[in-house]
Amino acid sequence: MSAETPAAGAPAGVRPLVAERREAGMPTPLVGMLLFIASEVMFFGGLFAAYFNSRATHQGPWGPPHPAPELEILPVALPITIILIASSFTMQFGVWAIRRGDTRKLKLWTAVTLLLGVVFLIGQLYDYSQLGFGISDGIFGTTFYTLTGFHGAHVFGGAVGLTILLARSLQGQFSARNHVAVEAISMYWHFVDVVWIALFTTLYFLR
Amino acid sequence: MRRFAAGTRVRSVLRVAVPLVLIFLLGGCLMPPTPETTQARDVFNLYILVLALGAVVFVAVEGMIVYSIFRYRRRDDRLPRQIHGNTVVEIIWTAIPTVIVLVLFTFSTLTLARTEAKAQNPLTIEVDGFQWQWTFRYLDANYTVTGTPTNPPVMGLPVNQPIRLILKSNDVIHSFYVPHFLVKRDVIPFPPGQPLNQLEFTVTDEGTYAGQCAEFCGDLHARMTFTVQAMSNAKYQQWLADAKAGKSPPPAASVAPGAAEAKLVAKGIAFDQQKLEVPANQAFSLTLDNQDTVQHNVSISKGQQVLFRGELVAGGKSMKYQVPALPPGDYVFQCDVHPIPAMTGAITAK
Amino acid sequence: MATTTLSPRAESYRRSWVLDWLTTVDHKKIGVLYILNSFLFFFAAGILALVLRSELAVPGLQFLDERTYNEAFTMHGTIMIFLFVVPVLAGFANYIVPLQIGAPDMAFPRINALSFWLLPLGGLLIFSGYLFGGAAAEGWTSYNPLSNKTYAPGVGTDLWIIGLSLVGTASILGAVNFIATIFKMRAPGMTLFRMPIFVWTVLVTATLILLATPVLTAGLIMLFIDRNYGGSFFEPAAGGNPILWQHIFWFFGHPEVYIVILPAMGVVSEILPVFSRKPLFGYKAFVFATIGIGLLSFSVWAHHMFTTGVVFLPFFTFMTALIAVPTGVKMFNWLATMWRGALVFTTPMLFAIGFISMFLIGGISGVVLASAPIDFHLQDTYFVVAHLHYVFFGGSVFGVFAATYFWFPKMTGRRLNERLGKIHFWLHFIGFNLAFFPMHSLGILGMPRRIADYSPNAGWTIYNLISTFGAFVIAISIVPFLINVVATLINGERVGDDPWEANTLEWATTSPPPPYNFDRLPPVRSERPVFDLRHRHVDEPGHAIVAETEAQP
Ligand code: HEA
Ligand code: HEA
Ligand code: CUA
Ligand SMILES: [Cu+2]
């Protein structure tokens, strides 16, 4: 509680509020995105908890309802998984590009990522149409469609973000110094990817 | 000088207030009903311990608040000493609650181990909670009783004999609660294959104890009452015999073949019709097709007087009641289990 | 005080004031909107409570049938929690936190506006069930299977789900905003351990919201899927498990109760030092206790499920009771702050003292409930209702009124009338105890909660009657409060920028503060920058204040 001499010229004990508010550390929008992702982690945590709880208390074999075929990895699930993981890399290439100030590469990689995301979504919808069971077919169907469906919705949200990113980069709004939005969307995209890896492992392997 | 005066005033106020508060606390208004099972006595003692600990904390903290209010009232413009903390007292007042918590935890766990222990040869009753009443099935004695909101059931029990309740529900969650036993247990529709909840106790005193569903279960949750009647073993055997005898259904009124028929479908806790018409002065048959998962029945009444009370029909079943002749006029029919508007209607005899 | 010359505002750009308020992104206006909106919902839910109490006053069904009663307590609980206490505290936080950390606004002003506007929308959706064949009637906990389509076919329950999801989303967005603001927008010199305690409690609260509310959202979505798309999360017949809902709900629900108490504790921790003229005793211990409560709150949820027979009782008993330790630390810190202080009993101080003395009772009854064997008796009885009102009302709501009286001069430049304030306090305090203390007895005697009617032979009538009387005394106490607010706004005493001789930065600007809050900031070298300004030699005991205090306008 020691008192210092106030800045000269200012009224006693008060110093002018200079605009020297330092932007130290992470930019505020990124902090916001990280926090938002934390809440999303808890959201998916809730869904996963429901899945594991149901599985633990469920009697009898766990899987799609009887007449429906088993979940198969090869035709759709594995390819779209690879596509989504790849899109995380392409996204990151875009981020690195803009950090160097390479706007052309940013546009390219953003477009590729968006494309991969859309392919993933189409693949997932196609998979849904082939599975032969629905959300109301017992507890497995309910958890399966809820988890993958909400993940899909998040991919869709990410794709919307990528579209905006692409539009803005086509207008030349980003530079090596100013590209917070790119970083933020890429974080989100990586998050969505990680969720899918967890989902894929849970639904297709740990069964 | 004024300070000193205030101090003594505080002390004299406290000297009166503290014992008063204690008497108030312990003097009944926070006392549970007399415990009537071995387990309940155990819980009762635990409760007294916890209440005493709580009372000590309450009196100590509230006392310090009141003391500060009188003692440290601002008197002049001098600034009191600016104390920012004191590690020693802070450690002490972290330690004391920790000890209290440990005491409470230890005694709770010990009590729990005793009250949850399983008996060797208990008398087993299956308790079936449904919207909105109870069925008690005496598994060893082949006796079943089902209550209605207007006519809640009685559970007769022998004293000094371990009882085991198996708690079963096919609709929503209920909770079996007898305040005098200081215990309740939820009656849960578990997924098939999962073990049902059980509750064990040994009643120690003869008497009649009120019971009630304690988990909110919909419209008539408040009407899920029942009574426990604890008796000596001899009386219990007599009670059981009487109950079984009284339970045999009254001989059905015979109906001439080809007589009038009426039909009601129960679905979604509602009857398909709210108006029925039957011929007057003539026995008729009434079919109740229960398409719900819960039980229903039909009873017919005029004013307060019940003229016909149909047996309960389990979910998915159908039953043909034989209803005695009704004089011409307007009557009310309803499901005794669900006396709500959707399961009430008018019946006219012409 | 210093700091004041406002640059004249550019009036020509201003639109009509209605539009201005509707489109504002200024944290102070949004804060005021939050507070006004919450009080409206408080009155609505309070009137529902009076309806409940009237029905329960004596045995028999007098005014309502069971269905309406069930709708009433469901709406009462839901609205009080989600549209009154949580948002009203968020409103104060909105107004005060940027000021207290010396920031010009929140980190994301537009998201801030969005999270406010979702609230009235969500609230109206929840209430609109009344227009579409009946509001939700499954209790604020909406247990399954009771809330399944089979047993709750009405659309009211769906509206309840949608409304709550919106409100939940609003508070998640708000939480992101608060945390980002507190981490990124602090004035120079405002280190984490110099932040006012209120800011700390808001930080921890926001973290709890961020981590707990999404789980509720997930649960609500599952419920919605079960109800409307044939899902079977909670459907035992199809392999689901109704207990899952309880786990999800309480995993959120228990942190939720600290979400509504921590900021109120923060308010009290601002007020007690000011009116005791001492610093908060054990600042750091208080901060760590707050963080400790936050952490523990995620490990106790199943104490709401003791009687389900499917949870591990000793663990949850222990963790629950353990929360008494950090809470006790806070309690004793408050006491020690008052101890040897120079206490003035202004209305905010009265409400703050009311808080600690009433919250204590709620805390102790909580610890009684924490003991599993005792909870077997008391669960779902009026003892729980008593507990929850002692912590919600005796705690949070007392805190809300303390904050209202304390910060009203900051928001308007005028101080609420002290005489009316004291009438309000005493009626409130007495009415509160009359209304809710007898509920302890009712619960111990075995009266279940959520019943519209009870038997005249049960021996519960006298307690119910007292309780109903108390509820109406509370209602009457609101009248002097409302008169006070209106009269003060029209013609209240103007009291300058720092009427209470307070400690924290919000008092270093004008009342009400200008857009973007500060022209100049005092240096921040402790958690009491404004106090430091006023007293340069505080460590000398017996030092006279008057000499050092700058003249009040
Ligand atoms: C603001 C809200 C709030 C707060 C702060 C609390 C705080 C606590 N609550 Fe409460 N609680 C609710 C809101 C809250 N609760 C609600 C709404 C319900 C009902 C929900 C429903 O079913 O509808 C509920 C229900 C509830 C139950 C379940 C009852 C049941 O349904 O069977 C339990 C059981 O353990 C419990 C325990 C506790 C405990 C131990 C605390 C502790 O945090 C209290 C700690 C504080 C103190 C103990 C006082 C100060 C400490 C000292 C002076 C130190 C020394 C003291 C001791 C060692 C005893 N609460
Ligand atoms: C913050 C939370 C909060 C608050 C403040 C209150 C406040 C009150 N509560 Fe509430 N209550 C809950 C949260 C809260 N409650 C919860 C969570 C439940 C459980 C619900 C459930 O079981 O699902 C519950 C349940 C509950 C019950 C149990 C119902 C039951 O189980 O059957 C009762 C019964 O007495 C009750 C009563 C009251 C009363 C009398 C007040 C009073 O203190 C209210 C005082 C306020 C007023 C009286 C309003 C004043 C307004 C005016 C006078 C109008 C003036 C307006 C204009 C002029 C515009 N409450
Ligand atoms: Cu059954 Cu309440
Ligand atoms: Cu809790």
Side-chain angles (χ1 to χ4, degrees):
Chain A
M1 212 134 300
S2 66
E4 265 173 44
T5 38
V14 177
R15 78 169 180 217
L17 172 64
V18 222
E20 49 153 339
R21 207 173 290 277
R22 302 137 300 156
E23 266 284 311
M26 196 183 272
T28 311
L30 281 196
V31 175
M33 180 51 87
L34 267 187
L35 292 168
F36 180 67
I37 288 176
S39 82
E40 291 280 56
V41 168
M42 292 309 289
F43 175 78
F44 278 101
L47 293 181
F48 271 98
Y51 177 87
F52 285 113
N53 181 291
S54 309
R55 215 188 118 186
T57 54
H58 182 79
Q59 305 289 317
W62 179 252
H66 183 54
E70 279 291 291
L71 286 185
E72 292 204 33
I73 299 183
L74 279 181
V76 187
L78 190 61
I80 64 173
T81 305
I82 293 169
I83 286 174
L84 198 63
I85 294 177
S87 79
S88 230
F89 283 94
T90 57
M91 183 75 241
Q92 197 56 30
F93 294 152
V95 174
W96 285 332
I98 193 63
R99 282 190 196 155
R100 290 191 311 267
D102 187 343
T103 49
R104 203 184 58 83
K105 285 270 176 55
L106 170 70
K107 289 172 209 159
L108 177 72
W109 288 123
T110 313
V112 172
T113 313
L114 177 58
L115 186 73
L116 291 176
V118 172
V119 171
F120 173 87
L121 283 177
I122 294 172
Q124 201 178 25
L125 286 179
Y126 173 74
D127 197 24
Y128 281 1
S129 72
Q130 299 300 303
L131 281 174
F133 64 95
I135 193 167
S136 55
D137 291 333
I139 182 70
F140 183 83
T142 309
T143 48
F144 178 85
Y145 281 102
T146 307
L147 265 73
T148 54
F150 270 91
H151 174 264
H154 281 73
V155 175
F156 183 78
V160 172
L162 283 172
T163 313
I164 296 171
L165 212 59
L166 188 61
R168 288 182 61 185
S169 61
L170 287 175
Q171 290 174 6
Q173 292 191 8
F174 299 118
S175 67
R177 302 198 63 190
N178 182 2
H179 58 268
V180 190
V182 182
E183 302 268 0
I185 299 286
S186 84
M187 268 183 191
Y188 185 76
W189 194 256
H190 293 319
F191 158 73
V192 170
D193 194 17
V194 170
V195 171
W196 177 257
I197 293 174
L199 262 181
F200 182 69
T201 322
T202 312
L203 293 173
Y204 291 87
F205 282 112
L206 292 183
R207 222 153 22 88
Chain B
M1 294 309 103
R2 264 182 69 208
R3 261 187 209 181
F4 190 70
T8 36
R9 196 170 65 231
V10 170
R11 239 160 279 145
S12 56
V13 169
L14 285 186
R15 215 166 285 148
V16 185
V18 170
L20 273 183
V21 168
L22 273 177
I23 291 166
F24 177 63
L25 278 180
L26 301 176
C29 102
L30 291 178
M31 275 300 149
T34 33
E36 304 288 3
T37 66
T38 15
Q39 287 79 359
R41 287 172 191 219
D42 222 337
V43 174
F44 188 87
N45 294 338
L46 177 69
Y47 175 77
I48 298 299
L49 172 78
V50 174
L51 185 66
L53 289 176
V56 170
V57 174
F58 174 78
V59 171
V61 177
E62 221 69 77
M64 282 191 274
I65 295 176
V66 173
Y67 179 81
S68 323
I69 290 176
F70 286 102
R71 176 68 179 75
Y72 301 117
R73 190 175 277 281
R74 188 177 299 181
R75 301 203 165 73
D76 51 36
D77 267 334
R78 283 185 310 170
L79 197 60
R81 243 181 78 204
Q82 301 293 299
I83 308 162
H84 288 266
N86 179 328
T87 316
V88 177
V89 298
E90 290 182 44
I91 289 176
I92 293 177
W93 72 44
T94 313
I96 294 178
T98 312
V99 171
I100 300 183
V101 164
L102 285 175
V103 170
L104 184 137
F105 169 71
T106 313
F107 281 92
S108 299
T109 315
L110 291 176
T111 308
L112 205 57
R114 286 191 299 269
T115 56
E116 295 295 289
K118 297 270 179 237
Q120 278 301 320
N121 278 316
L123 173 79
T124 310
I125 302 174
E126 191 180 87
V127 171
D128 193 344
F130 57 90
Q131 273 181 332
W132 286 284
Q133 255 299 336
W134 303 92
T135 295
F136 303 139
R137 260 184 220 102
Y138 286 64
L139 296 185
D140 316 307
N142 189 24
Y143 165 61
T144 299
V145 56
T146 295
T148 64
T150 39
N151 191 13
V154 176
M155 176 188 276
L157 292 178
V159 294
N160 298 326
Q161 143 114 43
I163 313 285
R164 173 179 299 166
L165 304 182
I166 297 175
L167 304 167
K168 189 176 141 201
S169 163
N170 286 324
D171 48 30
V172 303
I173 304 178
H174 308 273
S175 191
F176 182 91
Y177 180 35
V178 181
H180 272 279
F181 297 174
L182 305 190
V183 77
K184 69 175 66 67
R185 187 76 86 241
D186 291 356
V187 185
I188 300 174
F190 283 114
Q194 213 171 310
L196 295 175
N197 272 343
Q198 300 190 350
L199 180 64
E200 290 198 9
F201 51 81
T202 308
V203 190
T204 48
D205 294 288
E206 296 187 28
T208 310
Y209 311 115
Q212 184 159 4
C213 173
E215 180 67 64
F216 180 60
C217 54
D219 286 353
L220 299 193
H221 160 62
R223 304 267 176 254
M224 278 187 72
T225 55
F226 57 91
T227 310
V228 174
Q229 198 179 330
M231 305 161 267
S232 67
N233 197 32
K235 279 195 229 153
Y236 166 71
Q237 297 301 344
Q238 185 57 45
W239 173 86
L240 197 61
D242 287 351
K244 277 183 177 172
K247 186 60 187 146
S248 60
S254 54
V255 180
E261 287 202 22
K263 188 172 179 204
L264 279 173
V265 179
K267 192 169 183 199
I269 323 276
F271 285 133
D272 61 335
Q273 306 170 62
Q274 240 81 59
K275 273 203 167 60
L276 284 181
E277 227 171 76
V278 294
N281 298 323
Q282 181 188 337
F284 61 97
S285 78
L286 172 61
T287 308
L288 172 59
D289 179 7
N290 183 355
Q291 303 184 357
D292 276 333
T293 49
V294 300
Q295 318 180 60
H296 297 292
N297 82 339
V298 181
S299 72
I300 298 174
S301 54
K302 180 148 200 152
Q304 294 295 321
Q305 196 191 358
V306 181
L307 304 168
F308 166 79
R309 176 168 278 140
E311 236 178 282
L312 289 167
V313 181
K317 296 265 161 54
S318 168
M319 184 179 282
K320 200 172 199 175
Y321 296 127
Q322 308 301 341
V323 187
L326 298 173
D330 290 326
Y331 304 85
V332 173
F333 71 87
Q334 68 167 16
C335 165
D336 288 330
V337 188
H338 310 88
I340 51 172
M343 297 206 83
T344 309
I347 180 167
T348 315
K350 273 201 207 147
Chain C
M1 301 278 323
T3 62
T4 28
T5 25
L6 289 187
S7 40
R9 278 199 257 171
E11 292 295 330
S12 53
Y13 289 115
R14 303 243 344 249
R15 286 160 291 186
S16 85
W17 69 267
V18 177
L19 210 66
D20 187 42
W21 278 89
L22 290 182
T23 57
T24 184
V25 295
D26 174 7
H27 75 97
K28 296 182 291 297
K29 286 188 177 159
I30 293 178
V32 171
L33 285 176
Y34 260 105
I35 295 168
L36 289 179
N37 179 61
S38 309
F39 267 103
L40 289 182
F41 279 108
F42 173 57
F43 294 145
I47 288 167
L48 283 174
L50 294 181
V51 171
L52 293 177
R53 281 308 335 158
S54 311
E55 179 58 61
L56 289 173
V58 287
L61 287 174
Q62 288 85 22
F63 310 105
L64 311 174
D65 60 17
E66 280 97 350
R67 178 84 204 168
T68 351
Y69 180 88
N70 299 344
E71 289 172 359
F73 75 70
T74 302
M75 288 295 123
H76 165 72
T78 310
I79 299 295
M80 279 292 187
I81 295 180
F82 293 101
L83 286 143
F84 171 51
V85 241
V86 177
V88 79
L89 291 165
F92 280 107
N94 240 299
Y95 200 106
I96 298 299
V97 164
L99 287 167
Q100 282 194 331
I101 61 174
D105 204 319
M106 298 282 282
F108 308 110
R110 264 175 288 180
I111 293 183
N112 201 19
L114 173 66
S115 40
F116 167 71
W117 285 105
L118 285 176
L119 284 174
L121 181 63
L124 290 180
L125 275 178
I126 293 174
F127 261 130
S128 67
Y130 274 117
L131 304 178
F132 299 102
E138 292 80 50
W140 81 284
T141 51
S142 209
Y143 274 11
N144 256 277
L146 185 61
S147 52
N148 269 353
K149 205 83 182 176
T150 328
Y151 305 104
V155 66
T157 308
D158 293 310
L159 290 167
W160 182 89
I161 296 174
I162 298 169
L164 266 196
S165 313
L166 289 183
V167 173
T169 309
S171 52
I172 293 171
L173 293 177
V176 169
N177 216 337
F178 279 122
I179 302 177
T181 306
I182 294 171
F183 275 121
K184 298 302 296 184
M185 309 275 288
R186 296 194 310 275
M190 178 67 73
T191 61
L192 281 180
F193 281 102
R194 287 180 193 162
M195 294 196 310
I197 288 291
F198 181 66
V199 178
W200 264 110
T201 55
V202 170
L203 179 62
V204 175
T205 302
T207 313
L208 294 184
I209 293 179
L210 194 72
L211 300 181
T213 313
V215 179
L216 175 70
T217 312
L220 289 172
I221 284 172
M222 294 179 212
L223 184 55
F224 199 78
I225 289 175
D226 266 18
R227 287 176 57 83
N228 296 303
Y229 304 108
S232 40
F233 281 107
F234 312 120
E235 193 79 60
N241 191 344
I243 296 297
L244 172 63
W245 168 261
Q246 298 188 22
H247 280 300
I248 292 178
F249 185 85
W250 291 117
F251 184 84
F252 148 80
H254 191 84
E256 169 76 6
V257 308
Y258 296 105
I259 289 169
V260 308
I261 201 70
L262 288 179
M265 290 175 162
V267 169
V268 169
S269 314
E270 295 299 317
I271 292 175
L272 285 178
V274 170
F275 298 106
S276 307
R277 287 200 169 171
K278 278 177 66 202
L280 183 73
F281 191 97
Y283 172 96
K284 280 207 174 163
F286 201 99
V287 169
F288 288 124
T290 307
I291 297 173
I293 292 178
L295 291 176
L296 279 176
S297 72
F298 283 102
S299 62
V300 303
W301 77 91
H303 64 217
H304 298 274
M305 302 165 59
F306 282 151
T307 58
T308 56
V310 296
V311 296
F312 185 57
L313 304 169
F315 174 79
F316 287 104
T317 291
F318 183 71
M319 297 310 277
T320 304
L322 206 54
I323 293 198
V325 176
T327 320
V329 167
K330 295 182 161 200
M331 198 57 127
F332 297 124
N333 283 338
W334 290 325
L335 282 175
T337 305
M338 285 165 45
W339 202 257
R340 300 207 176 141
L343 277 55
V344 209
F345 300 102
T346 57
T347 313
M349 181 67 164
L350 287 179
F351 273 102
I353 296 176
F355 174 104
I356 53 180
S357 56
M358 292 300 104
F359 176 75
L360 174 72
I361 300 180
I364 293 175
S365 63
V367 173
V368 173
L369 289 169
S371 168
I374 300 179
D375 185 71
F376 285 171
H377 174 47
L378 296 176
Q379 202 259 344
D380 268 326
T381 66
Y382 263 81
F383 192 86
V384 177
V385 180
H387 163 68
L388 75 89
H389 285 97
Y390 265 84
V391 283
F392 272 150
F393 198 100
S396 310
V397 177
F398 274 63
V400 166
F401 281 115
T404 310
Y405 282 94
F406 186 59
W407 280 313
F408 200 85
K410 180 63 1 192
M411 298 177 173
T412 63
R414 296 163 189 268
R415 171 156 55 192
L416 287 168
N417 180 292
E418 278 287 309
R419 179 182 298 268
L420 281 173
K422 282 176 183 150
I423 296 175
H424 172 201
F425 171 78
W426 284 110
L427 280 175
H428 209 70
F429 186 82
I430 294 168
F432 166 73
N433 280 294
L434 283 176
F436 298 112
F437 200 84
M439 290 186 184
H440 291 109
S441 312
L442 282 174
I444 290 170
L445 290 176
M447 174 165 169
R449 60 194 285 204
R450 300 172 168 175
I451 57 174
D453 191 12
Y454 51 92
S455 153
N457 307 325
W460 302 332
T461 315
I462 177 68
Y463 295 109
N464 273 307
L465 208 55
I466 300 175
S467 171
T468 302
F469 176 72
F472 279 92
V473 176
I474 303 178
I476 290 170
S477 82
I478 303 289
V479 176
F481 172 69
L482 288 177
I483 295 177
N484 202 349
V485 170
V486 174
T488 307
L489 284 178
I490 296 172
N491 191 19
E493 171 198 8
R494 287 186 184 276
V495 285
D497 296 342
D498 181 15
W500 310 116
E501 299 190 352
N503 299 331
T504 40
L505 278 186
E506 76 268 31
W507 306 100
T509 181
T510 50
S511 301
Y516 305 110
N517 301 343
F518 297 96
D519 296 346
R520 301 163 175 287
L521 272 176
V524 182
R525 303 215 176 75
S526 76
E527 81 277 14
R528 295 190 295 171
V530 176
F531 180 93
D532 296 347
L533 262 191
R534 206 180 304 120
H535 311 283
R536 308 253 169 63
H537 320 282
V538 282
D539 287 328
E540 294 161 26
H543 168 88
I545 295 173
V546 247
E548 280 289 333
T549 313
E550 280 156 76
Q552 301 294 323

